[in-house]
Amino acid sequence: MPAADVERMFARLRELNPHPTTELEYRTPFELLVAVVLSAQATDVGVNKATRRLFPVANTPQAIAALGVDGLKPYIATIGLYNTKAVNVIALCEQLIARHGGEVPRTREELEALPGVGRKTANVVLNTAFGEPTMAVDTHIFRVANRTGLAPGRNVREVEDELLRVVPREYLQDAHHWLILHGRYTCKARVPDCPHCPIRDLCRYPDKTPGEPAPPPLRDA
């Protein structure tokens, strides 16, 4: 996608949603970290239902560690892979207490050293909790980046690196949220909602869903 079209794309997404954020519910960096770990192969809606039960009871590393694996499981049993996630979350809490004074670290290396935390989770925490211009590539972003021609890549790391290269700096802080939301609600996997897509004319996808194109976003007079 030409640089001018990339600029137009993000200008439109920002106009439609000036202050995007994660749909995971959290109040502290630790709550966000736990929610993102729980969200692997699960929906944000499902995670929020679980954390609404968990966080009022335990929302610090010390409190969750005190539950133990068996004590944590009932709170997250509705989430996929909850047995493995319970083990990881307890180990994560214990490591935060032992190595970081119970605080969420602010570097990628320290985050990725935590149990259950990979590059994508670290990127989400760095971006959303700490304001770093990172790019957390999930299935939605991977699809949108390849389908639109914005940042084609064979794997998530290639897409991440390309997005960091092509997204204009003024949009980089919020780009990850815009792309996730676009993939979740418009550029959907099975049947993309091309007729109502605000960037349809910029998109390189050859098999657009037929229908009347949506009008361009309204601008302030």
Side-chain angles (χ1 to χ4, degrees):
M1 184 181 291
D5 285 354
V6 175
E7 169 72 31
R8 293 186 188 98
M9 172 180 177
F10 284 102
R12 292 180 192 176
L13 294 175
R14 180 172 65 183
E15 185 174 8
L16 292 168
N17 186 1
H19 305 291
T21 189
T22 179
E23 293 187 318
L24 291 170
E25 296 172 359
Y26 74 98
R27 291 177 297 175
T28 66
F30 173 72
E31 288 187 355
L32 176 64
L33 175 60
V34 170
V36 179
V37 169
L38 294 176
S39 72
Q41 299 183 46
T43 66
D44 288 0
V45 171
V47 172
N48 289 338
K49 287 180 180 178
T51 57
R52 286 172 197 159
R53 296 189 297 269
L54 173 63
F55 289 158
V57 175
N59 70 337
T60 65
Q62 294 82 357
I64 292 182
L67 291 175
V69 173
D70 290 337
L72 176 59
K73 284 182 182 180
Y75 293 100
I76 64 172
T78 55
I79 300 174
L81 305 176
Y82 75 93
N83 286 307
T84 299
K85 291 176 182 179
V87 172
N88 283 336
V89 169
I90 294 300
L92 177 155
C93 290
E94 292 172 345
Q95 192 162 311
L96 287 177
I97 296 166
R99 300 184 185 179
H100 303 287
E103 298 295 323
V104 177
R106 300 178 68 118
T107 69
R108 178 186 304 283
E109 293 73 22
E110 290 173 314
L111 284 167
E112 290 187 19
L114 296 170
V117 177
R119 186 176 182 86
K120 185 187 76 172
T121 296
N123 278 335
V124 173
V125 173
L126 289 170
N127 177 272
T128 304
F130 300 133
E132 298 289 335
T134 58
M135 189 66 64
V137 178
D138 69 350
T139 57
H140 297 300
I141 292 183
F142 186 80
R143 180 174 64 255
V144 171
N146 276 285
R147 186 181 274 173
T148 62
L150 171 64
R154 294 166 295 179
N155 55 59
V156 294
R157 186 57 190 272
E158 286 187 6
V159 169
E160 177 186 336
D161 291 344
E162 185 67 4
L163 285 169
L164 291 172
R165 187 184 72 82
V166 302
V167 176
R169 178 156 293 276
E170 69 171 297
Y171 301 110
L172 198 53
Q173 175 62 40
D174 294 321
H176 138 252
H177 295 300
W178 284 317
L179 293 175
I180 285 177
L181 294 171
H182 187 68
R184 184 173 291 164
Y185 297 112
T186 302
C187 196
K188 294 174 282 190
R190 293 186 179 180
V191 184
D193 190 10
C194 301
H196 296 97
C197 176
I199 59 168
R200 174 181 174 136
D201 59 315
L202 306 174
C203 174
R204 269 49 182 177
Y205 185 51
D207 302 316
K208 292 183 176 66
T209 307
E212 290 297 319
L218 296 176
R219 296 185 178 275
D220 294 334

